[in-house]
Amino acid sequence: MNILITGSSGQIGTNLGLALLGRGDQVLGLDKRVNAWTRKFPTEIVDLTTPWSGLPKAIAHFAPDIVVHLAAWAKVHQLVKEPAKSLENVQMAFWALELARALDKPIAFGSSREVYGDIHRHITDESMADFVVAESPYSASKIAGEAFFYAYARCYGLKTLVFRFSNVYGRYDNDLDRMERVIPLFVRKISRGEPITVFGREKMLDFTYVDDCISGVIAGLNALAADKVVNQTINLAYGQGQTLHDLVSLIELATGKTATVTWAPSQTGEVTRYVADIAKARKLLNYSPKTPLTRGMGEYVRWCRETQFIV
Ligand SMILES: NC(=O)c1ccc[n+]([C@@H]2O[C@H](COP(=O)([O-])OP(=O)(O)OC[C@H]3O[C@@H](n4cnc5c(N)ncnc54)[C@H](O)[C@@H]3O)[C@@H](O)[C@H]2O)c1
């Protein structure tokens, strides 16, 4: 298949693009930044918040069979501080949908467990999201993005899939200058013997190793392209909860260093409890995540050493 990925220079986009190439698909990336990790697939530099008229030439020429929309400002706390960026997320979803509509091709969306809000549930199935639970501007942007996907499916017959990801970690995630994500930040600081501040001792989250996430996305793309699973919303996560205390202990184990930790309350807008119900993904996509955090953290730290992110 010819697959167009927006946000292709980011963590999930890079992993997805390379995995799709690896199985023989053609990939065209679309991002506002060049890909810092790979030149194996081309990237069309486009700012997706900007209106366009007519299909960009490179995209028309590529003739995608399917679009995967991953472009976004992806950090919750950053969007609490700069809420206008959440509006950009909605614009990006809108223009990605317009792209798919112009192409008349199916489109998948990288949404988030943030659409469930902070509802302190252990299990959350796909029916439980509601706009009234929006916990942060980022959460609102994903709820709005999803709403546009559902509206485009109804009004224009667009075939869609919405994936709700949760704390995806692994390869191609270490550019702390661009975005301070917790796992790379803690891995770097703990490995250097620097102190860390952990917000929310009580937090329990569902950490998803990137290969599991990508296997679910690819199963979804296959099913969407074959018209087997269409207009569905699907949680893609590991399906088990870990506390931030567990996370820090596993980083200590993987790096061989002892962390110096200051515990602080959760920050505004943060979800403090989420464990995905992945029954629907198992049923519709035969999804079967294989990497517990214990193993995934070891893999990630190994990659951080290989890329000299840590010594
Ligand atoms: N990584 C996670 O844990 C996680 C969890 C839930 C949801 N998600 C969602 O999955 C998607 C991918 O996440 P990621 O971790 O790869 O994020 P990322 O930040 O690594 O990648 C996002 C990419 O979008 C690009 N982008 C941003 N604004 C753009 C614009 N105006 N035009 C074109 N490109 C633009 C960025 O340059 C970046 O390369 C995002 O939509 C994110 O919200 C991620």
Side-chain angles (χ1 to χ4, degrees), residues 112-130 133 164 204 206 233-237 239 271 273-280:
S112 168
R113 59 106 204 274
E114 293 289 325
V115 300
Y116 296 116
D118 191 8
I119 50 181
H120 301 272
R121 281 181 210 276
H122 291 270
I123 300 291
T124 316
D125 79 25
E126 287 82 349
S127 65
M128 296 307 296
D130 188 334
V133 303
R164 291 180 180 156
M204 176 171 281
D206 196 334
T233 300
I234 300 173
N235 294 333
L236 285 183
V271 165
R273 189 169 203 101
Y274 176 74
V275 183
D277 178 345
I278 56 171
K280 189 171 176 184

Side-chain angles (χ1 to χ4, degrees), residues 210-282:
V210 70
D211 286 351
D212 286 328
C213 170
I214 297 301
S215 76
V217 172
I218 291 181
L221 296 181
N222 289 341
L224 180 61
D227 252 356
K228 287 188 177 147
V229 179
V230 175
N231 300 341
Q232 296 288 338
T233 300
I234 300 173
N235 294 333
L236 285 183
Y238 187 64
Q240 282 178 21
Q242 303 270 346
T243 64
L244 293 190
H245 190 271
D246 297 334
L247 178 72
V248 171
S249 303
L250 290 172
I251 296 174
E252 289 182 313
L253 200 67
T255 56
K257 297 281 171 64
T258 303
T260 308
V261 184
T262 302
W263 293 94
S266 288
Q267 301 183 97
T268 305
E270 288 181 331
V271 165
T272 60
R273 189 169 203 101
Y274 176 74
V275 183
D277 178 345
I278 56 171
K280 189 171 176 184
R282 286 190 192 281

Side-chain angles (χ1 to χ4, degrees), residues 39 49 54 79 90-91 100 105 156 161 166 192-193 220 230 232-233 242 249 260 272 275 283 293 311:
R39 294 286 142 88
T49 60
L79 271 57
V90 184
Q91 288 173 312
K105 294 294 175 190
Y156 310 115
L161 268 191
S166 173
R192 288 177 170 179
V230 175
Q232 296 288 338
T233 300
Q242 303 270 346
S249 303
T260 308
T272 60
V275 183
K283 185 165 168 235
L293 189 57
V311 288

Side-chain angles (χ1 to χ4, degrees), residues 23-79:
R23 65 166 208 164
D25 292 306
Q26 301 297 314
V27 173
L28 176 63
L30 188 162
D31 206 293
K32 64 177 183 183
R33 305 178 300 131
V34 295
N35 193 307
W37 303 110
T38 184
R39 294 286 142 88
K40 287 190 175 164
F41 55 81
T43 305
E44 185 67 9
I45 302 296
V46 173
D47 182 343
L48 253 187
T49 60
T50 311
W52 45 268
S53 60
L55 267 183
K57 254 194 201 141
I59 295 172
H61 183 252
F62 180 67
D65 297 304
I66 202 159
V67 180
V68 187
H69 174 54
L70 299 174
W73 293 103
K75 191 162 160 51
V76 174
H77 197 63
Q78 182 185 18
L79 271 57

